[in-house]
Amino acid sequence: MGGPDRPGHDDHNERREMLTMIVKRLAMAIPSLIGVVVVTFLLTRALPGDPAVYFAGPAATPQAIQQVRVNLGLDKPLIEQFGRYVVDLAHGNLGTSLTTGQPVATELRNRLPASAELTLLGLIVSIVIAVPLGIVAATKPNSLIDQACRVISTAGVSLPVFFTGLILVYVFYYLLGWAPAPLGRLDVFYTEPPHVTGFYLIDSLIAGDPGTFMASLKQLILPALTLAIFSLAPITRMTRASMLAVLSSDFVRTARASGLSAYTVIITYAFRNAMLPVITTLGMVFSFLLGANVLVEKVFAWPGIGSYAVEALLASDFAPVQGFVLTMAVMYVMLNLLIDILYGLIDPRVRLEA
Amino acid sequence: MTPAPALSVEGLSVEFRTRSGAVRALENVSFRVAKGETVALVGESGSGKSVTAYAVMGILDPAGRVTAGRAMLGDLDLLAATPKELANVRGRKIAMIFQNPRTALNPIRPVGRQIADVLICHGNVSRRAAPAQAVEMLRAVGITDPARRAKAYPFEMSGGMCQRVMIAIALAAKPTLLIADEPTTGLDVTTQAVIMDLINDLAKELGMATIFITHDLALAGQRSARIVVMHAGHVVENAPTADLFANPRHPYTAELIAATPDSAASLDELAAIAGSLPDLRRADLPPCRYSERCPRKIAACAQPLPLAAPDAAHFVACWNPLPAQVVVAPTVSAA
Ligand SMILES: Nc1ncnc2c1ncn2[C@@H]1O[C@H](COP(=O)(O)OP(=O)(O)OP(=O)(O)O)[C@@H](O)[C@H]1O
Ligand SMILES: [Mg+2]
């Protein structure tokens, strides 16, 4: 802080600072990625159950089991298995699922958009509700909205995500019949839109097919709402707390005293400053959602990577589990990078510290 | 005789609701600021100087409430004004500079933009012309290379520079009254003098009245025509500067003057004022909040304090004031 005077920057400088920061953060991510590769490998080897026994079948002779083990390369020393794993990884080869016989990389690529579409929609719904709610609650302490905000914050955390999901299905599908059956991304009467992004909402729009768009939206509503309800509490709470802190700070008082409009004071001055902790919370919530997905995908028969991983785990199927954990890890790293970039865009001090 | 005041605060009382009870931060505070005049608000920490300023500006904490009084800016009572009326005068006719210039500026907005925001808001400059005008304002407050500095963030500037930016923001709309709340705390001595000179010069140039808030009586003596002494939320004395120093009437003022390094022959003589401010949450606060520290306390001190006569040149809120030595101006002796 209180350093010597520094001259102002021009835009060119700012962009260079930003780029330096991104490159540095990327470099810092490399060791964690290496760690993830090692840990996923060891973890899957430490899982209970012998895949060779499992795949040879219940009636297999010891010779048959040994044969399977050799085929899978499981008879080799651990270090050699690891070496092969790394070489395969470098070629984008995540191995083959023993249960489905499909390459893991392909299956993950096909299923990731399903999970991503669901999670992002859930998060967006949550942000659209929680952030304005938190802002209003902070600007009008003890008002009705503030009370509502408090109820949401406490109620939200106490509901487990699969429970919310089941309740929503029970009420909106079983009792009211408003929602379609919780069976995947699209009703059987519709065909999936031509693949562009993998997000059905977007792809159906690109294809100019409003019917499919509506159908996939209907399937998405309940699971997305489940995730949204789950993340409402932390985002509302953090927005409110962060806004309260900023609203009582000196510079907001200055802004008020200099007669700036309420909108400028609350949004341009206060909220932009209050955003940093909110973004951190969003990152955390997003990570939670990736985990919570596993349960929600089960409840709604969603063909995402979460349900894929669970099935593989139950079958002691190494490769998909490894692939899943690796995908998650890469997503976490990218998420953190994104958060850092947002931080840098919002706060000039972060840019310079990098 | 007295010209129409730029601001007239009359009987202002402010309370804060807190968990541990109501804090009666201000009680019956009255003073006037004539057009173009500099009035100093002096008192130790916690005496209610900032709260007075915030109440007048309408920027009290949500917990704070004005329970009585008026603050007349021309014909407009700032304390009863609608939000719309307030928006019309705040920053435009009455502006404020804060202590702690570093934290008083938005940390993530270039300073030029912050000045431009105010310029645009008050409608005297178009959105397109605002950045250039902001640079001009920076030049006017003595910032070198203003075009480049306009793009800097507060954390890239020294405290003195930040205070200059604050001044530029406050004066952007050429107000008729400026409230400067300890504008030089946290700055080194040389910068302090420079900033004070800058405020004085600009005030003179714009014909602006100034309320200068400080706990430094000596500084107030150098910079203001009139001094209002506050103690625990009361105005205890209000007099022209020369008169106040020559003839302090309130025991608290006398103690303050004795405690001022300038007038003490050596540091050893620096008298610390006995006792401390009373807890303003107490239900049994005496009518005179100084009486518990006061060496001149008499039985009469238990009755309500004398009220300020509206045009008193030298007002003292005391039942047993120090004797008036030389009558410089007509004195309202309260006893
Ligand atoms: N938000 C608040 N809640 C409760 N009490 C408050 C609040 N703000 C101010 N006060 C009380 O009002 C009184 C006057 O405070 P104020 O900030 O005006 O003092 P000051 O004279 O400006 O002192 P300083 O020289 O330290 O700035 C203090 O007793 C303080 O405790
Ligand atoms: Mg103060």
Side-chain angles (χ1 to χ4, degrees), chain B residues 172-326:
Chain B
K174 303 200 170 25
T176 52
L177 175 69
L178 174 73
I179 304 179
D181 188 353
E182 310 206 18
T184 56
T185 34
L187 304 181
D188 62 76
V189 185
T190 349
T191 320
Q192 276 184 10
V194 176
I195 292 287
M196 285 310 299
D197 286 342
L198 178 67
I199 294 176
N200 272 359
D201 293 351
L202 290 170
K204 210 165 280 167
E205 205 179 304
L206 297 173
M208 189 172 61
T210 312
I211 298 177
F212 170 44
I213 296 179
T214 177
H215 53 251
D216 184 344
L217 190 57
L219 189 61
Q222 293 160 20
R223 300 289 177 173
S224 59
R226 174 174 278 278
I227 295 181
V228 176
V229 182
M230 291 189 72
H231 173 267
H234 285 166
V235 170
V236 295
E237 190 158 7
N238 179 349
T241 303
D243 195 10
L244 187 93
F245 279 100
N247 188 11
R249 308 259 348 251
H250 198 283
Y252 178 64
T253 314
E255 295 260 20
L256 269 186
I257 291 175
T260 303
D262 268 14
S263 60
S266 74
L267 277 178
D268 298 332
E269 268 178 54
L270 245 182
I273 298 181
S276 56
L277 289 180
D279 183 348
L280 301 183
R281 286 167 305 192
R282 270 168 47 185
D284 62 334
L285 275 176
C288 170
R289 294 177 175 183
Y290 188 61
S291 61
E292 285 165 1
R293 308 163 75 174
C294 184
R296 297 177 59 86
K297 186 178 171 184
I298 54 170
C301 296
Q303 54 185 317
L305 281 174
L307 286 178
D311 282 320
H314 189 149
F315 162 75
V316 55
C318 183
W319 290 117
N320 186 23
L322 292 144
Q325 289 159 354
V326 193

Side-chain angles (χ1 to χ4, degrees), chain A residues 288-309:
Chain A
F288 280 141
L289 287 190
L290 289 177
N293 256 345
V294 175
L295 292 168
V296 175
E297 285 180 6
K298 268 279 160 233
V299 172
F300 290 91
W302 204 256
I305 55 172
S307 45
Y308 178 61

